[in-house]
Amino acid sequence: MKLFCLVHAGGDSRYFDKFIAYTENKNIDIVPIEYNGRGKYKKEKIAESFDELREEVLHKICMYISEEPYALFGHSTVSYTHLRAHETSLH
């Protein structure tokens, strides 16, 4: 199963490095989703609205989705964003 991990406000994908050690032998593939303006996307334009952020997150998640099960993990403002991205993907 893929576990898409959405970075908290102000963070970057390195936050989830410690998750990998806990999931190594449990058939869980940690896939950190980093936002524009942070980490490897530092030079990309930062989303100016939740709608833009939702589309960005959805696009990045869709690059990894296959037939296998997946789950979304996030907290804070990110919870709202990934919920909206998931709702959009169902339509």
Side-chain angles (χ1 to χ4, degrees):
M1 177 179 75
K2 290 192 184 307
L3 179 60
F4 294 102
C5 298
L6 301 163
V7 177
H8 60 281
D12 64 37
S13 63
R14 293 176 293 176
Y15 176 80
F16 297 107
D17 288 349
K18 59 188 167 194
F19 284 46
I20 294 168
Y22 292 110
T23 59
E24 275 182 319
N25 297 312
K26 297 180 175 80
N27 294 324
I28 299 173
D29 182 19
I30 301 295
V31 182
I33 300 297
E34 199 154 50
Y35 310 126
N36 290 350
R38 297 196 174 84
K40 66 183 176 184
Y41 296 104
K42 189 172 184 146
K43 295 185 185 220
E44 299 293 324
K45 180 183 176 274
I46 296 172
E48 295 180 9
S49 68
F50 277 117
D51 287 338
E52 283 184 20
L53 184 58
R54 180 193 67 225
E55 292 302 315
E56 174 189 330
V57 168
L58 184 59
H59 173 75
K60 289 176 180 175
I61 288 174
C62 285
M63 293 188 311
Y64 296 98
I65 289 180
S66 62
E67 294 298 316
E68 70 181 304
Y70 68 90
L72 303 171
F73 173 80
H75 53 87
S76 186
T77 305
V78 173
S79 298
Y80 173 79
T81 304
H82 84 253
L83 175 63
R84 296 292 299 153
H86 184 66
E87 287 175 353
T88 301
S89 71
L90 295 175
H91 296 288

